[in-house]
Amino acid sequence: MTPTRSAVRLSDGRELIYFDESPDSGRAGFPDTRQLPPPPPASQLRHDPLTDEWIAVAAHRNTRTFLPPSDACPLCPSSDRFASEIPAPDYDVVVFENQFPSFSDRIVPDEITQVTDLVPVRPGLGRCEVVCFTSDHDAAFGSLPPARVRTVVDALADRTAELSGLPGVAQVFPFENRGVEIGVTLHHPHGQIYAYPTVTPKTAAYLRAAARHAERTGGRNLYADVLAAEQEAKVRVIAANEHWTAYVPAAARWPFEVHLAPHRHVPDLPALTDAERDAFGPIYLDLLRRFDGLFGKPMPYISAWHQAVVGEGRELGYLHLQLFSIRRAADKLKYLAGSESAMGAFVNDIVPEAAAQRLRDI
Ligand SMILES: [Zn+2]
């Protein structure tokens, strides 16, 4: 069932949208009782001439909320004692504009100063949103029922469609960071959506490779061919159902990394059918259970939706989820040190086929 959608404005003008699993929840009737100051202006983007990459500079983000106590959680529903970001006393899934965004539409032209002729500067136009998966502060994504995962997918599809249509947005990226080891600043189960004004470096590299592949093969899709090869090889496949396959990439960068891809070539979440959305929850929850089972404790992870870009190169995209952890042993994390951080050259300590075997055995 498609969730019921109701949008409200917070006291500083930011938009908040409830996605409810039952019709007419009445959530939109609760006003934000806080007197919030105006949200900060957009960041600026500076172009690094040495790497041809855009870097977002957002000074205001240094003041954001850091690991608050649970009775002052900004992502819990509001109560008589504490007014949070969510005015209603309960919710299923809720999405709102980030109070401390890396990108927004609040441009202050005077603040965009020139640096040097070699470093173009442009406003960090775009939007950053927070997605709360449940009102239960102590839950985890992996403990949600499949029906709630479906609601989350519907909410992400809704946001992808809307954000893709905003002026200047080049790419929409939904993701979840889980665990303080990853740098999470709020324990409440939540994800984020970045609507970028530029194509990200990782996606730009994929588009170059995919364009070369299409040229070499008479128009074949690179990701579709990689997925077909993994399904054929089987050795790195962890799980599959009628609509999705999960596998460890042959050249995985991270100790434990899985791609989860739909069998049908679709550009983004809005293009998924009802059947594909329903089939996603069970296999993704199974993957999260396997991740947590690796070392018998909650696995820190990054869960990243790769979607087609909005403009040029859109036909080269292929929706897939990348799930990976920085934990390489029960008491060891992988840090991005010299080779990875300075050179962008990854060294993986775990052979992908061995990682796949371990994940299959759980
Ligand atoms: Zn909370």
Side-chain angles (χ1 to χ4, degrees):
M1 194 185 80
T2 307
T4 307
R5 182 190 194 283
S6 42
V8 299
R9 291 278 170 184
L10 298 174
S11 67
D12 58 3
R14 287 177 295 133
E15 191 178 19
L16 178 145
I17 305 161
Y18 296 102
F19 292 89
D20 285 309
E21 291 164 356
S22 52
D24 194 23
S25 65
R27 311 234 202 262
F30 293 90
D32 181 6
T33 57
R34 303 168 299 172
Q35 302 288 323
L36 292 175
S43 63
Q44 57 172 266
L45 290 177
R46 296 183 176 196
H47 188 258
D48 179 353
L50 301 181
T51 60
D52 195 21
E53 292 176 3
W54 289 95
I55 309 295
V57 182
H60 60 263
R61 279 175 55 80
N62 257 339
T63 57
R64 67 190 192 274
T65 315
F66 181 76
L67 296 177
S70 61
D71 60 356
C73 173
L75 308 186
C76 276
S78 284
S79 69
D80 295 342
R81 297 178 309 281
F82 183 70
S84 73
E85 287 279 70
I86 298 104
D90 196 11
Y91 62 84
D92 294 332
V93 172
V94 68
V95 177
F96 57 92
E97 290 180 76
N98 195 318
Q99 194 179 3
F100 305 98
S102 300
F103 307 103
S104 81
D105 59 1
R106 290 179 290 275
I107 307 300
V108 183
D110 293 349
E111 291 196 359
I112 304 299
T113 51
Q114 286 311 306
V115 183
T116 75
D117 287 349
L118 284 170
V119 181
V121 178
R122 54 190 275 191
L125 194 65
R127 184 141 143 161
C128 291
E129 297 185 337
V130 177
V131 186
C132 298
F133 305 134
T134 166
S135 62
D136 181 356
H137 183 85
D138 296 317
F141 197 103
S143 67
L144 300 177
R148 174 57 55 82
V149 180
R150 168 66 203 256
T151 305
V152 171
V153 170
D154 286 338
L156 297 181
D158 173 283
R159 303 317 301 143
T160 297
E162 184 166 328
L163 298 178
S164 294
L166 293 182
V169 167
Q171 181 177 356
V172 179
F173 173 47
F175 62 99
E176 182 195 0
N177 296 331
R178 194 260 193 127
V180 288
E181 298 92 336
I182 298 286
V184 165
T185 54
L186 296 171
H187 284 303
H188 196 111
H190 72 287
Q192 300 182 66
I193 307 171
Y194 275 26
Y196 295 103
T198 56
V199 174
T200 62
K202 182 57 80 61
T203 301
Y206 168 78
L207 289 179
R208 287 192 295 273
R212 282 196 303 272
H213 183 79
E215 204 176 297
R216 260 196 321 259
T217 60
R220 295 186 62 83
N221 182 272
L222 174 59
Y223 197 91
D225 282 353
V226 167
L227 174 62
E230 291 297 343
Q231 288 170 320
E232 171 87 20
K234 291 191 176 63
V235 64
R236 285 171 296 275
V237 171
I238 295 167
N241 62 24
E242 188 187 349
H243 295 287
W244 298 83
T245 291
Y247 65 95
V248 177
R253 287 170 163 71
W254 302 93
F256 294 97
E257 174 174 356
V258 175
H259 280 202
L260 178 52
H263 295 164
R264 200 167 57 91
H265 177 192
V266 294
D268 53 15
L269 289 161
L272 291 174
T273 62
D274 271 342
E276 288 164 337
R277 294 180 193 205
D278 280 339
F280 171 76
I283 192 168
Y284 182 52
L285 292 170
D286 178 57
L287 283 180
L288 294 179
R289 180 187 63 79
R290 291 173 191 275
F291 261 49
D292 280 353
L294 276 168
F295 302 110
K297 56 183 176 184
M299 191 79 152
Y301 65 72
I302 292 171
S303 178
W305 280 108
H306 292 257
Q307 307 198 86
V309 296
V310 173
E312 189 186 344
R314 179 167 173 79
E315 74 286 354
L316 297 170
Y318 189 121
L319 174 72
H320 60 280
L321 182 90
Q322 180 193 19
L323 173 71
F324 61 94
S325 182
I326 58 169
R327 188 177 293 290
R328 58 190 174 89
D331 56 352
K332 292 193 183 75
L333 299 179
K334 175 175 180 61
Y335 291 101
L336 297 191
S339 185
E340 291 86 359
S341 290
M343 288 291 121
F346 274 71
V347 180
N348 187 353
D349 303 320
I350 299 188
V351 178
E353 292 74 28
Q357 185 65 53
R358 285 178 65 177
L359 285 163
R360 269 196 305 268
D361 285 348
I362 289 167

